[in-house]
Amino acid sequence: MQTLTLQPVSSARGQITLPGSKSLSNRILLLAALARGTTKITNLLDSDDVRHMLTALTALGVELELSEDRQQCLVQGIGGAFQLPDTSQLEALFLGNAGTAMRPLTAALCASTGQFELTGEPRMYERPIGDLVDALRQCGADIEYLGDEGFPPLHINGHALRGGQVSIRGNVSSQFLTAMLMAAPLCQGDVVINVEGELVSKPYIDITLDVMSRFGVRVENNDYQSFHIKGGQSYESPAQIMVEGDASSASYFLAAAAIAGGPVRVYGAGSHSVQGDAKFADVLAKMGAEIRWGGDWIEVERQADSVLNGIDIDLNHIPDAAMTIATTALFAEGPTCIRNVYNWRVKETDRLSAMATELRKVGATVEEGEDYIRIEPPSEIQSAAIDTYDDHRMAMCFSLAAFGNSPITINDPGCTAKTFPTYFELFKEMTQPA
Ligand SMILES: O=C(O)C1=C[C@@H](OP(=O)(O)O)[C@@H](O)[C@H](O)C1
Ligand SMILES: C=C(OP(=O)(O)O)C(=O)O
């Protein structure tokens, strides 16, 4: 296993241009593939999750032309659901641990023609998908579990879906609703989706609705409790579309500025962003940082005479950027409690447990609840080797521990390839040794 030892750093300053958003890249690629017409996508993210989507689309017969740096892609839309030429042949798609590929493709393939097998990394087989499968079956989907009930891998016998009334549980992952929404126009009849119970990670639904509207499909949204979509539609290519910078990736640099003073400005996501994670900056403001907003940039600074304060806050709306608050809390005065993040447990790893274990290694006193984590910062950050559990966000948010006075080793730093392969190079450029 590779390791990376970060020597203590004392300041973070400068500007960075964010890589494209993972959530937007994979949604746009899928809808461009399903759309009528050719779409030129710019500022596409080049990372493992996006590569899995690209490989799957190619296997499904979509013609793609990638630029050399893989940040531009010309997609020839097929103008409807996927159609495999030989329906007796099984098309196996390996989707790694990319939730934004596994969930939306599952739904789209149920409405397509062919036999499909969706596989992934071992952790993908521990991440639930039962709520989505249940919803798809209500529309007439033929889909089977190949391993444990409720989890990938899946076998799909694709055929036209009738649509109709569908209820879907919202309390485990918003990606199930996203997947159902994106596949709904492909159904023969109209689709009414009723969300049962609480809807987690709600701002990701706004991203989905925004991308669908860019591809010409309107969704009637009744307060996130029910959605009405006309069946028998095809997506229409917008011809050109630019992927916003990744607001979750921005969180590490913005937090660095809040911890060390900054200023740091990130370009690519700002007050006009469709990503809920841009609101991460508001959490830093509550902790005591100064935020400046532009349409497509965010800047964070903290005056030398001010302190970062611990906070008690519900971060269900920004579960990914919330992890960055957990390590920022190491530098705050007083405890921080991050609430309503039960679904951290079903992501790349059990993030509540992993976060508690690793924060304790650097000296924090941590209480791990069923759906919350409470962090009391140590008086001095201790040197430690941080395990990352094949979770890119564990690696990235623990880089912030290097703002203490001790070296921090990150085990398996390469796991950032899931969404941000160049993270540690940029972190080094932006920070100055103590
Ligand atoms: O729709 C999306 O692009 C995402 C939704 C969120 O997942 P949940 O809805 O499972 O919380 C988020 O954690 C994930 O990284 C990306
Ligand atoms: C939860 C995440 O990924 P996924 O899209 O695989 O759910 C994440 O990026 O933090």
Side-chain angles (χ1 to χ4, degrees):
M1 181 190 58
Q2 284 205 323
T3 63
L4 172 70
T5 297
L6 300 169
Q7 294 305 324
V9 285
S10 60
S11 63
R13 249 180 258 118
Q15 306 187 336
I16 72 150
T17 301
L18 297 166
S21 147
K22 166 199 75 169
S23 294
L24 281 159
S25 293
N26 275 355
R27 281 168 173 77
I28 290 171
L29 279 170
L30 177 59
L31 296 199
L34 298 171
R36 275 206 292 227
T38 302
T39 308
K40 182 179 174 186
I41 307 172
T42 55
N43 200 37
L44 191 70
L45 173 64
D46 180 21
S47 80
D48 285 354
D49 277 9
V50 178
R51 287 185 180 217
H52 289 308
M53 178 61 95
L54 287 165
T55 308
L57 294 177
T58 305
L60 292 166
V62 181
E63 279 182 42
L64 304 167
E65 217 178 288
L66 270 176
S67 62
E68 208 168 308
D69 65 4
R70 303 179 70 99
Q71 289 172 24
Q72 274 199 30
C73 187
L74 210 57
V75 182
Q76 309 281 352
I78 50 180
F82 301 105
Q83 311 270 346
L84 288 192
D86 180 359
T87 50
S88 62
Q89 202 191 316
L90 182 71
E91 189 60 59
L93 304 174
F94 176 79
L95 302 173
N97 191 10
T100 54
M102 177 61 83
R103 280 74 180 258
L105 278 170
T106 294
L109 292 174
C110 283
S112 298
T113 309
Q115 304 285 325
F116 310 98
E117 198 171 286
L118 271 57
T119 66
E121 289 169 13
R123 175 61 184 169
M124 189 52 110
Y125 299 166
E126 296 172 351
R127 299 182 67 189
I129 199 161
D131 294 339
L132 174 60
V133 170
D134 290 348
L136 287 163
R137 284 177 174 160
Q138 294 167 47
C139 292
D142 185 353
I143 177 166
E144 298 300 330
Y145 300 112
L146 294 171
D148 291 345
E149 189 81 5
F151 298 86
L154 303 171
H155 176 267
I156 294 169
N157 177 17
H159 60 77
L161 293 186
R162 57 174 181 265
Q165 290 275 342
V166 181
S167 48
I168 189 161
R169 292 204 318 151
N171 65 342
V172 172
S173 169
S174 70
Q175 290 179 0
F176 306 149
L177 174 56
T178 280
M180 210 47 244
L181 284 164
M182 292 205 290
L186 308 177
C187 292
Q188 291 168 319
D190 291 4
V191 181
V192 176
I193 306 173
N194 298 302
V195 180
E196 274 177 47
E198 189 202 356
L199 174 60
V200 296
S201 308
K202 208 178 190 179
Y204 286 96
I205 300 306
D206 295 326
I207 302 182
T208 303
L209 299 180
D210 184 77
V211 176
M212 287 174 73
S213 81
R214 300 285 291 276
F215 282 85
V217 168
R218 210 183 61 82
V219 176
E220 188 187 306
N221 171 3
N222 302 306
D223 202 22
Y224 301 88
Q225 289 182 330
S226 77
F227 297 85
H228 192 149
I229 308 101
K230 275 207 160 323
Q233 300 190 65
S234 69
Y235 287 105
E236 301 294 332
S237 165
Q240 284 223 21
I241 188 162
M242 192 180 98
V243 177
E244 275 183 18
D246 195 303
S248 320
S249 298
S251 69
Y252 313 104
F253 303 108
L254 299 179
I259 293 166
V264 168
R265 185 181 286 195
V266 296
Y267 283 98
S271 60
H272 298 157
S273 175
V274 297
Q275 299 166 75
D277 272 13
K279 297 268 186 330
F280 170 79
D282 294 338
V283 184
L284 293 179
K286 284 202 176 91
M287 295 177 83
E290 275 176 29
I291 317 296
R292 285 180 280 278
W293 293 89
D296 78 334
W297 55 263
I298 308 171
E299 186 172 285
V300 173
E301 187 168 12
R302 187 173 56 78
Q303 302 301 334
D305 59 356
S306 71
V307 291
L308 270 189
N309 293 304
I311 41 168
D312 188 324
I313 190 163
D314 180 332
L315 291 183
N316 186 277
H317 60 298
I318 55 166
D320 294 356
M323 292 179 73
T324 314
I325 294 296
T327 49
T328 305
L330 291 169
F331 301 91
E333 285 202 357
T336 287
C337 190
I338 299 171
R339 295 186 189 276
N340 204 5
V341 287
Y342 171 79
N343 74 354
W344 273 18
R345 295 197 184 277
V346 291
K347 296 187 185 273
E348 279 75 340
T349 183
D350 177 340
R351 287 176 167 172
L352 272 162
S353 153
M355 187 59 83
T357 305
E358 302 309 312
L359 285 171
R360 285 181 188 126
K361 280 190 189 167
V362 295
T365 304
V366 183
E367 183 185 325
E368 178 195 338
E370 185 60 7
D371 68 347
Y372 70 88
I373 186 165
R374 186 177 179 281
I375 303 141
E376 264 182 63
S379 51
E380 180 88 23
I381 302 230
Q382 288 160 25
S383 186
I386 302 298
D387 287 317
T388 51
Y389 309 81
D390 212 6
D391 183 347
H392 53 140
R393 297 201 194 283
M394 286 296 289
M396 294 190 282
C397 65
F398 270 91
S399 63
L400 299 176
F403 284 103
N405 291 318
S406 311
I408 297 291
T409 297
I410 306 286
N411 290 335
D412 186 24
C415 68
T416 65
K418 187 173 192 284
T419 57
F420 202 166
T422 56
Y423 175 72
F424 282 106
E425 288 156 43
L426 293 177
F427 181 79
K428 196 161 176 228
E429 276 172 32
M430 175 130 299
T431 51
Q432 292 76 40

